[in-house]
Amino acid sequence: MTLTLTVSDEVRALAPGFTPLVVEAHGLTNGPSTDESSALLDDAARRLADRLQGRAPHEDPHMAAWRALYTAFGAKPSRTRNSAEALARRALADGGLPRVNLLVDLYNAVSVAWLIPVGGEDLDRIEGSMSLERATGDEEFVTTAGGEELVEHPDAGEVVWRDGTGVTCRRWNWRQGPRTRLTERTVSGIFLLEGLDPMPVADVEAAGAELAELLAKFSPGARIEVRAPGL
C-alpha cells in the first residue's frame, strides 16, 4: 500500500521552495545498531565536516533557510532546531552521533552527510494518510516525559505533520512522537527528506537515492519506492 502524503496550501504559501522526497519501503529488517551502521555514522560526520569547512551548522545556507522558516511560523530556531541542524551539532561534538537502531542509523547518516532533515515513520503505526499543515492548537501530540505518557498541543499556526489520530511530528521536523517511530520490530517504513531553496533539487534526489541504496543493502529483498520530489 502506498501512503498518501499531502502538503496544505497554507504551508506551500509559507515555504514555496519546499522540496519533499519520499522513500517508502516494505519488507525491512531492523535491529540493534551494528558496527557497519556505526561506521556509516562516523563517515557521515566526516562528510559533514568537509561540507562545512569550519563553519557552524547554522551558517550553512540550507540550515539558514530552515531557521528563517521556523521564525516565519513562530518557532525560535535557536531553541527548537530543525532535525538536521540538531543532528549536525551532535555529529561535530565530542560525543558524536547517537546509535539508536539500524534503520534510524541509516537515515541519520544520510541526514548528516547531506545536511537535510530526514524523518522515518513506521507505516504500520500510521492511521490513514499523513499531511503537513498549520495547527489549530487543538490537535493532540502524544509524547513522554519522565517515563510517563504526556499529551501536548501544538501552538496555533505551528507547522506539524499529522495522521488520522493526531500529530506525529511537531514544528515541522523538530520532535517526532513515539507512537510512529521506527523500532526494532518495524518492517515497513516511510522516510521523508525535506529540502528548502537554496538546496538544489538534484541534491535532494541524490540524498534520497543514497538512502534507498542503504535500505536495500541492509534489508535484501525489501520493496523500495522513491517518489519524485514534491507531493
Side-chain angles (χ1 to χ4, degrees), residues 151-181:
V151 177
E152 297 179 350
H153 297 276
D155 299 327
E158 180 182 325
V159 178
V160 298
W161 278 103
R162 64 162 302 158
D163 67 359
T165 295
V167 173
T168 58
C169 193
R170 287 197 59 189
R171 293 182 188 148
W172 208 306
N173 48 39
W174 166 63
R175 181 193 290 171
Q176 181 188 35
R179 174 171 61 89
T180 58
R181 67 188 175 192

Side-chain angles (χ1 to χ4, degrees), residues 180-202:
T180 58
R181 67 188 175 192
L182 302 176
T183 71
E184 293 184 15
R185 295 181 298 277
T186 297
V187 294
S188 295
I190 194 93
F191 302 87
L192 183 66
L193 295 84
E194 299 182 301
L196 284 180
D197 186 33
M199 186 175 199
V201 173

Side-chain angles (χ1 to χ4, degrees), residues 58-70:
H58 70 268
E59 295 175 305
D60 177 84
H62 190 212
M63 294 298 94
W66 274 106
R67 282 195 165 216
L69 183 54
Y70 268 47

Side-chain angles (χ1 to χ4, degrees), residues 1-226:
M1 183 185 75
T2 298
L3 179 70
T4 300
L5 297 99
T6 58
V7 178
S8 74
D9 290 342
E10 282 187 310
V11 172
R12 291 192 184 278
L14 182 67
F18 177 50
T19 303
L21 184 145
V22 175
V23 180
E24 184 169 335
H26 300 268
L28 293 168
T29 301
N30 200 11
S33 300
T34 65
D35 289 344
E36 197 168 0
S37 71
S38 183
L40 284 171
L41 291 170
D42 289 339
D43 182 63
R46 288 189 290 270
R47 290 167 64 185
L48 173 67
D50 288 343
R51 178 182 294 268
L52 292 174
Q53 291 294 301
R55 294 173 298 166
H58 70 268
E59 295 175 305
D60 177 84
H62 190 212
M63 294 298 94
W66 274 106
R67 282 195 165 216
L69 183 54
Y70 268 47
T71 300
F73 67 78
K76 295 182 178 179
S78 60
R79 292 180 55 191
T80 55
R81 297 179 176 88
N82 75 80
S83 64
E85 183 183 332
L87 271 179
R89 286 167 59 90
R90 295 190 70 171
L92 298 173
D94 289 341
L97 287 164
R99 276 57 173 166
V100 180
N101 60 52
L102 181 59
L103 291 177
V104 174
D105 289 353
L106 298 186
Y107 80 72
N108 278 351
V110 171
S111 176
V112 168
W114 288 91
L115 205 51
I116 181 173
V118 183
E121 308 278 359
D122 188 321
L123 274 169
D124 293 327
R125 295 170 179 263
I126 294 171
E127 299 293 336
S129 60
M130 290 185 68
S131 62
L132 183 67
E133 56 192 57
R134 302 197 75 168
T136 64
D138 296 327
E139 298 89 349
E140 291 191 350
F141 176 71
V142 180
T143 185
T144 56
E148 298 293 328
E149 187 174 284
L150 175 70
V151 177
E152 297 179 350
H153 297 276
D155 299 327
E158 180 182 325
V159 178
V160 298
W161 278 103
R162 64 162 302 158
D163 67 359
T165 295
V167 173
T168 58
C169 193
R170 287 197 59 189
R171 293 182 188 148
W172 208 306
N173 48 39
W174 166 63
R175 181 193 290 171
Q176 181 188 35
R179 174 171 61 89
T180 58
R181 67 188 175 192
L182 302 176
T183 71
E184 293 184 15
R185 295 181 298 277
T186 297
V187 294
S188 295
I190 194 93
F191 302 87
L192 183 66
L193 295 84
E194 299 182 301
L196 284 180
D197 186 33
M199 186 175 199
V201 173
D203 284 2
V204 179
E205 292 175 321
E210 182 174 327
L211 177 57
E213 289 172 5
L214 288 172
L215 293 172
K217 176 182 178 180
F218 284 87
S219 294
R223 303 184 308 281
I224 300 168
E225 175 192 4
V226 181

